[in-house]
Amino acid sequence: AQTVTQSQPEMSVQEAETVTLSCTYDTSENNYYLFWYKQPPSRQMILVIRQEAYKQQNATENRFSVNFQKAAKSFSLKISDSQLGDTAMYFCAVTRGGADGLTFGKGTHLIIQP
Amino acid sequence: DTEVTQTPKHLVMGMTNKKSLKCEQHMGHRAMYWYKQKAKKPPELMFVYSYEKLSINESVPSRFSPECPNSSLLNLHLHALQPEDSALYLCASSQAARWVEGYTFGSGTRLTVV
């Protein structure tokens, strides 16, 4: 079984600031896949960034980057130059693949203040 | 087409009604998923179809009946639901064997059982 822990239920930062959301996970698999999903009030789940566990290099997507520490089983998300449109629930998720589906953390509600 | 389309967007049904939720994708994804999401909670996996065959049933009550008529279509048949089944029902799809690509989610059906 896999578990995901997000220890920050809610965070609030000013527009243009940098914010880091934390995520730790537990899995017995040697290879697995990690994701951050964003869910704005519209409820659409949007893929933000993804990482294969066997790849050492941290993934980046424009203003979004991750700090993947495999030994510590940590997968934090950094949002640079935060924008009002970044306000949403952010879920960290893991899967071993094989059409197992995603295991989600409880989420972090991120609020970007003008 | 890079979308997962769910219909209807909203559904109100009585406890004696029979209704169905529909999910459609034309991305050639061969794995499709149903998730249930209660307010302020992460999505919980219900069912997984892989190559049109049911591969995972997460001990979901029999009042929920999934169906995958073809590789593009996923249905969830509902019968004799309880008020606690009121939730957002999310459909997702993914490439089989390319798990790093992540999962594409629909915008969900918000179900209210009265």
Side-chain angles (χ1 to χ4, degrees), chain A residues 4-16:
Chain A
V4 178
T5 302
Q6 294 180 251
S7 58
Q8 304 148 314
E10 186 170 289
M11 297 185 71
S12 180
V13 299
Q14 297 294 123
E15 194 176 5

Side-chain angles (χ1 to χ4, degrees), chain A residues 52-87:
Chain A
E52 292 183 76
Y54 71 86
K55 286 194 173 179
Q56 300 285 351
Q57 187 173 5
N58 289 327
T60 62
E61 288 285 344
N62 301 312
R63 297 183 295 110
F64 300 88
S65 61
V66 297
N67 182 3
F68 175 46
Q69 302 288 329
K70 189 172 183 179
K73 294 184 177 176
S74 172
F75 185 61
S76 61
L77 175 69
K78 185 171 84 171
I79 305 174
S80 303
D81 185 27
S82 57
Q83 300 175 357
L84 296 178
D86 295 332
T87 293

Side-chain angles (χ1 to χ4, degrees), chain B residues 38-56:
Chain B
K38 302 282 276 186
K40 300 187 187 301
K41 298 289 187 183
E44 295 177 348
L45 185 65
M46 300 175 71
F47 302 104
V48 180
Y49 274 84
S50 180
Y51 291 92
E52 296 88 69
K53 294 190 189 310
L54 182 65
S55 59
I56 294 178

Side-chain angles (χ1 to χ4, degrees), chain A residues 33 35 37 39 42-45 47 50-52 91 95-102 104-106, chain B residues 31 33 35 37-38 41-43 45 48 50 55-56 88 90 99-103 105-107 110:
Chain A
Y33 307 88
F35 305 91
Y37 277 88
Q39 189 176 40
S42 67
R43 307 295 285 185
Q44 176 87 48
M45 295 285 281
L47 178 63
R50 54 197 170 203
Q51 174 89 39
E52 292 183 76
F91 292 101
T95 182
R96 65 172 185 171
D100 271 9
L102 290 165
F104 288 91
K106 291 186 176 181
Chain B
Y33 312 80
Y35 287 85
Q37 187 179 26
K38 302 282 276 186
K41 298 289 187 183
L45 185 65
V48 180
S50 180
S55 59
I56 294 178
L88 181 71
L90 292 166
W99 314 111
V100 71
E101 298 294 329
Y103 298 66
F105 282 82
S107 56
R110 187 172 297 281

